[in-house]
DNA sequence: CGGGATGTTGATGGCAGTCAAGCTCGGTGG
DNA sequence: CCACCGAGCTTGACTGCCATCAACATCCCG
């Protein structure tokens, strides 16, 4: 028990994850049902349509949450980073597929046991509610993008989100950012095709907004103002 | 107190709304801070960007939740019907605009007081969590539509949703449905333009899937199977 | 150094947006 | 009762953005 508790106290996402607000004593309860699991890039945690057996906290890495049409087209409906919560408590069946985009570590709980603990550990349900509402806000913003914005606006906005995520608030150009997903995933995230993503990026390069060293996942933002103008025209 | 409690017991959405799972005794607490408010068609309950002052239950009517770009394009990110919860507890600022699409009745609570009561009344926070997760599922399905489906698929899927919402499970064609929103709102909901919505509807008419008596908000679904084939091609 | 995965670039076409005109329907007032 | 009017809806002509198909370049890893 003490060992289990210590395991949580040492956790790298102790402060940012769901368990952050939980009392030290209650941590042991959580810890007792949690198991670490590593996922390789491309490995799937849960499939849409399968029985909904688990919840988890992301300890490290990055995962995508996807929904698919009957004929196989895929839409990324969310990205998960260290500290994020994964899963759908109280649902019998999973409605989304969760896939690791890179090596990831998770702290996994059996769903039903996790639900029971939520009723016992004060603050846990509240914390999850806040996270779920934040996810909903995120989803709504993404709906706005998917429904109303042009390819240009989507790419520029995506890059700005990345800058805000990785760089300090008052960072000055140029800022080097590491795109955590492939072009294909960018396309699925933004509701575009790979080719359109690629074309818009080279357009940004021509405009001088970014530089694309060695055609890969590193992007150098040379002029943030240009990106902001393109993301919000008008 | 007894009067207040009775007011809730008589409520037409007592069973379906958030307060459905609340003890009769606790209802009085909720009732004490709730106020009825009627909204005319087109009236706005909350503006995106304004201080987030209230939450509410929809007693009757229909409302839209919208997000907008800086240059005025609008995306409907959700519809609210009788029994649905409105608002963003724990947020200082509202991120969406909520507008009545038709005459609507709400049961309004001051946000901060509602938050306090959530901490006191057992089951309330849990019920809200479940609703929020349902909204998130809804939002994800809509993201899939906005990102990946053609105009044809969007319209057919939308009509099928309406059928499922209004008609009994085993209803046989033809089914008459009442579209609760204007063409313009359909467009904003589906990420299309008014003209495209109109064209796709007449296309469905030509295909024999629907009939459009007197060009308005009533649609007769003649052949549900056609709609299903169009909504899920491939 | 090869081979597969990933990313870029080019040519083309179709779907849906835009602009514009006409239609339908309900309401209003002469 | 009918003429008028305006909002909402439909239809048409045209344009343009982005998807599609295809070839090529680059990167990565054995």
């Amino acid at each position: 028990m003490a060992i289990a508790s210590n395991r949580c106290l040492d956790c790298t996402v102790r402060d940012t994850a769901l368990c952050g607000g939980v009392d030290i004593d209650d941590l042991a309860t959580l810890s007792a049902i949690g198991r670490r699991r590593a996922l390789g890039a491309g490995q799937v945690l849960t499939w849409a349509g399968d029985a909904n057996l688990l919840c988890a906290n992301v300890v490290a890495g990055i995962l995508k949450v996807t929904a698919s049409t009957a004929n196989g087209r895929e839409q990324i409906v969310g990205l998960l980073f260290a500290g994020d919560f994964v899963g759908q408590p109280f649902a019998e069946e999973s409605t989304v597929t969760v896939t690791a985009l890179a090596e990831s570590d998770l702290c996994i709980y059996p769903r039903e046991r996790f639900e029971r603990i939520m009723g016992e550990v004060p603050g846990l349900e509240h914390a999850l509610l806040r996270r779920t509402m934040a996810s909903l806000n995120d989803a709504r913003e993404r709906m706005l993008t998917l429904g109303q914005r042009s390819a240009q606006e989507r790419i520029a906005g995506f890059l700005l989100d990345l800058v805000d995520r990785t760089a300090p608030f008052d960072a000055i150009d140029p800022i080097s950012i590491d795109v955590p997903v492939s072009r294909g995933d960018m396309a699925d995230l933004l509701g575009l095709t790979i080719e359109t993503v690629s074309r818009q990026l080279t357009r940004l390069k021509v405009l001088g907004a970014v530089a694309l060293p060695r055609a890969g996942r590193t992007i150098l933002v040379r002029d943030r103002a240009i990106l902001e103008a393109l993301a919000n025209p008008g």
Side-chain angles (χ1 to χ4, degrees), chain A:
Chain A
M1 199 86 144
I3 294 171
S5 181
N6 281 337
R7 195 173 54 165
C8 282
L9 288 177
D10 291 344
C11 181
T12 51
V13 293
R14 168 84 175 87
D15 293 329
T16 53
L18 196 67
C19 21
V22 174
D23 279 357
I24 292 183
D25 293 342
D26 292 323
L27 262 190
T29 316
L30 254 186
S31 181
I33 68 163
R35 295 180 58 112
R36 280 297 181 89
R37 179 156 149 202
L39 253 61
Q43 264 191 283
V44 171
L45 180 68
T46 63
W47 288 99
D50 279 7
N52 180 22
L53 298 178
L54 53 85
C55 298
N57 282 306
V58 180
V59 177
I62 174 173
L63 301 94
K64 64 176 175 181
V65 182
T66 58
S68 317
T69 63
N71 55 9
R73 278 169 290 172
E74 174 179 303
Q75 176 67 41
I76 298 182
V77 298
L79 292 178
L80 298 170
F81 299 91
D84 285 344
F85 178 82
V86 194
Q88 308 176 288
F90 312 114
E92 288 305 312
E93 190 174 295
S94 184
T95 60
V96 292
T97 299
V98 177
T99 311
L101 291 175
E103 295 285 323
S104 301
D105 287 318
L106 303 177
C107 182
I108 293 187
Y109 312 101
R111 175 178 65 87
E112 294 186 346
R113 283 217 236 169
F114 182 79
E115 289 170 7
R116 242 174 288 135
I117 288 181
M118 255 205 298
E120 296 161 8
V121 174
L124 201 52
E125 194 159 51
H126 180 76
L128 183 58
L129 174 59
R130 280 176 172 252
R131 270 167 193 275
T132 307
M133 293 197 309
S135 296
L136 186 57
N137 275 334
D138 205 63
R140 286 170 166 171
E141 181 61 34
R142 195 168 289 122
M143 276 189 257
L144 181 58
T145 293
L146 293 172
Q148 304 295 339
R149 293 198 229 263
S150 70
Q152 186 79 199
E153 296 167 73
R154 295 183 202 199
I155 298 289
F158 176 73
L159 292 184
L160 286 174
D161 284 350
L162 282 184
V163 170
D164 289 343
R165 166 173 291 277
T166 60
F169 279 113
D170 50 358
I172 304 294
D173 305 332
I175 305 165
S176 174
I177 55 181
D178 193 64
V179 183
V181 300
S182 70
R183 294 286 189 270
D185 287 324
M186 274 183 71
D188 286 339
L189 192 62
L190 299 173
L192 301 169
T193 60
I194 296 178
E195 295 94 325
T196 300
V197 170
S198 188
R199 270 185 255 272
Q200 294 300 336
L201 282 175
T202 58
R203 178 140 188 273
L204 290 180
K205 185 176 70 178
V206 172
L207 291 173
V210 304
L212 305 171
R214 37 183 48 244
R217 295 192 179 187
T218 296
I219 295 182
L220 187 73
V221 177
R222 305 180 77 98
D223 190 339
R224 194 193 155 117
I226 297 183
L227 284 185
E228 269 158 6
L230 291 173
N232 274 73

